[in-house]
Amino acid sequence: MSLDNLKPAKGSVKSGKRIARGEGSGHGGTATRGHNGAKSRSGYSRKVGFEGGQMPLQRRVPKFGFTNVNRKEYNGINLDKLQSLVENGKVTDTVNLTVLIENGLAGKNDLVKILGGGELKAKLNVTAHKFTATAKAAIEAAGGEAVTL
């Protein structure tokens, strides 16, 4: 075997239909494109969302609202997640961003907000970007401290 005698495996390649090569081929005349219309013309390319002249869905549907470019997206972490970290022995007394990132609860560029879901029994010093009022109260009730970054 060498480069000059390579060929595909038998049966792996179909011979394509030879279009517009005369009437005798069976694909002459309109060359399988049908009669008239945009799709029969050369250079035709269908526009995305084009529905044949009917008003496209994107234009029929009402638009509303806006996107605030200055929106801050916080990654919420409930108190029961912090309690489970304590029970699994991954945290002893302080919870900060590095601890949360190591345990996969936050990404390195995330803003973190501690939420009041579940209950916290352990005394923890928690450092985060934001706290809900219930979360702050629960941390301080357990004897801990909530530090806002």
Side-chain angles (χ1 to χ4, degrees):
M1 182 186 292
S2 62
L3 289 176
D4 64 325
N5 65 3
L6 287 176
K7 60 182 182 205
K10 190 170 173 66
S12 68
V13 177
K14 290 186 212 159
S15 60
K17 54 181 164 180
R18 282 170 46 89
I19 292 172
R21 291 294 179 269
E23 286 302 317
S25 70
H27 300 299
T30 59
T32 73
R33 286 170 174 251
H35 295 284
N36 296 3
K39 284 176 83 173
S40 70
R41 318 278 185 210
S42 68
Y44 169 75
S45 66
R46 198 180 93 250
K47 304 289 183 284
V48 175
F50 184 66
E51 298 181 17
Q54 172 178 303
M55 185 61 70
L57 182 68
Q58 182 61 23
R59 290 185 60 195
R60 285 197 305 264
V61 176
K63 316 293 184 288
F64 59 91
F66 79 108
T67 304
N68 183 1
V69 293
N70 299 317
R71 177 175 166 77
K72 284 197 170 88
E73 194 71 54
Y74 286 93
N75 187 7
I77 297 172
N78 276 312
L79 291 175
D80 54 2
K81 284 264 201 256
L82 299 182
Q83 183 61 37
S84 68
L85 287 179
V86 172
E87 288 165 3
N88 295 336
K90 294 181 177 175
V91 172
T92 51
D93 58 345
T94 57
V95 175
N96 53 23
L97 287 178
T98 52
V99 172
L100 295 173
I101 291 165
E102 284 165 10
N103 290 297
L105 292 175
K108 64 181 178 129
N109 297 324
D110 285 353
L111 297 173
V112 174
K113 184 172 187 174
I114 306 298
L115 311 173
E119 62 177 313
L120 184 68
K121 299 178 192 109
K123 178 185 174 184
L124 291 175
N125 292 337
V126 185
T127 308
H129 295 100
K130 281 205 170 183
F131 294 88
T132 60
T134 53
K136 198 165 198 164
I139 291 167
E140 287 164 358
E145 189 182 3
V147 180
T148 307
L149 287 175

